[in-house]
Amino acid sequence: MKSDIWIEERHRAGVAARFRIKQVLFQGTSPFQEVTIVDTVPLGKMLLNDGLVMVSEKDEFVYHEMIAHVPVFVHPSPRRVLVIGGGDGGTVREVLRHRGVRACRLVEIDRMVVDACRKHLPAVSGALKDRRATVTIADGVKFVATTRERFDVVIVDSTDPIGPAAPLFGRKFYANVRRVLTPGGIVVSQAESPFYEAEAQRSLLSILGSVFKRAHLYNFSNLTYPGGLWSFAFASDRFCPVEDFRPEAVRGAGLKFQYYNAPLHMAAFQLPQFMRDRYKKLLSCCG
Ligand code: AG3
């Protein structure tokens, strides 16, 4: 009989998604979490941390293009970028497609994620070999509290706000993110599901709004995260992601995208009514 093995993400909201797999390529337990890479039938290879889907080869372009190109195209001269989390390397890959970016530092707490993705997900992790990329295995919370380096853009590419990533949703962390940003710098963060994580979104927005002059949410649709609809948060003391966005910069960059484009950049900040109503007082308005 043909093998019929499935892997399941059980989300804490009480929903699950199942993916048929061909084989398990890697499974390990680090000091921080369980790391799994499987080869699935429908979606190519997939990384799961503590049983939660992080990346699938089929749709990772959506997440990585939207987390990276939105802030990098809004900032007028993004030279130095910090990525916290994101040990799979997909965000670094998209950031480094911008020729103006001179340095991209990845600070990932879990060496096992980086090593396993380098080995099994080269299409995602390949850019970690770029000479402009530096991989630092360290706790991002401590890094932003202590580093003397400064960055034009900080991208928080975290897992869900449970386990090792919980502090990446906290006030102290964002006060230090602001500290490591150059004046007017931009932070973008993984901001969870508007359906299942309303409280996490509200708390993140309210923290960002109290630390920075402006805070926004923007949405994208993906295939593998629970519920499909997902959000990022954008905050800056200076830049509005819609009014300060120059579509000409996208044309000028001459890059090919699979999800991101200039009209979609602007549209992503137009939130469904239930999100507008819910976060009315917390969202900086524009667009
Ligand atoms: N970061 C994980 C986003 C949250 C996924 N949550 C879930 N499946 N319950 C992805 C890292 C990609 N670089």
Side-chain angles (χ1 to χ4, degrees):
M1 207 179 96
K2 246 181 124 208
S3 71
D4 192 30
I5 309 172
W6 295 67
I7 195 157
E8 181 175 77
E9 163 166 350
R10 291 186 185 191
H11 188 265
R12 62 176 171 153
V15 287
R18 310 184 81 207
F19 307 93
R20 188 165 170 206
I21 66 170
K22 294 180 195 163
Q23 60 171 319
V24 177
L25 298 171
F26 177 84
Q27 189 141 41
T29 305
S30 77
F32 305 101
Q33 60 204 341
E34 187 180 280
V35 179
T36 309
I37 298 182
V38 289
D39 194 9
T40 74
V41 174
L43 308 175
K45 292 180 205 160
M46 184 182 266
L47 164 72
L48 301 97
N49 290 351
D50 278 342
L52 305 174
V53 178
M54 296 292 116
V55 165
S56 94
E57 283 184 320
K58 178 94 169 175
D59 74 338
E60 56 87 8
F61 68 89
V62 181
Y63 180 99
H64 291 131
E65 289 185 12
M66 289 301 279
I67 201 172
H69 301 306
V70 167
V72 173
F73 276 124
V74 171
H75 196 288
S77 52
R79 303 249 192 278
R80 301 175 46 77
V81 177
L82 170 65
V83 177
I84 295 175
D88 53 83
T91 299
V92 172
R93 179 192 68 203
E94 293 304 314
V95 165
L96 288 177
R97 295 179 68 199
H98 294 257
R99 317 250 329 254
V101 172
R102 305 230 173 99
C104 183
R105 183 185 288 283
L106 178 85
V107 177
E108 163 64 55
I109 198 166
D110 195 343
R111 184 183 300 280
M112 185 179 280
V113 172
V114 177
D115 289 347
C117 291
R118 278 192 203 265
K119 178 147 187 234
H120 297 286
L121 284 169
V124 181
S125 62
L128 296 177
K129 285 193 268 195
D130 191 294
R131 52 170 186 81
R132 294 171 294 157
T134 316
V135 178
T136 303
I137 302 298
D139 179 346
V141 171
K142 290 196 188 125
F143 182 84
V144 293
T146 52
T147 183
R148 299 168 75 101
E149 280 181 83
R150 295 296 177 264
F151 302 91
D152 305 307
V153 171
V154 174
I155 298 177
V156 185
D157 185 1
S158 67
T159 65
D160 291 353
I162 35 174
L168 300 180
F169 289 78
R171 184 177 304 272
K172 217 166 149 207
F173 171 68
Y174 280 101
N176 283 320
V177 166
R178 184 167 180 279
R179 189 187 78 81
V180 305
L181 280 169
T182 51
I186 296 168
V187 58
V188 159
S189 303
Q190 192 278 106
E192 294 294 318
S193 157
F195 286 113
Y196 293 126
E197 295 286 357
E199 264 325 299
Q201 290 201 329
R202 187 196 307 280
S203 146
L204 182 62
L205 259 187
S206 111
I207 288 169
L208 288 172
S210 68
V211 172
F212 294 90
K213 292 216 174 81
R214 333 183 45 99
H216 305 258
L217 281 178
Y218 62 102
N219 283 344
F220 63 99
S221 295
N222 85 128
L223 191 56
T224 48
Y225 298 163
L229 185 69
W230 211 261
S231 311
F232 291 122
F234 178 111
S236 171
D237 283 341
R238 189 175 300 166
F239 296 111
C240 167
V242 174
E243 280 156 17
D244 294 314
F245 170 59
R246 290 152 306 113
E248 322 80 72
V250 179
R251 247 172 285 139
L255 300 171
K256 266 187 95 73
F257 304 110
Q258 290 178 267
Y259 189 89
Y260 180 86
N261 58 41
L264 184 82
H265 175 123
M266 292 188 279
F269 288 88
Q270 302 305 323
L271 300 179
Q273 196 58 39
F274 76 92
M275 293 179 73
R276 279 196 183 208
D277 292 345
R278 188 193 278 162
Y279 306 129
K280 232 180 343 241
K281 298 203 189 77
L282 298 171
L283 292 164
S284 303
C285 42
C286 66

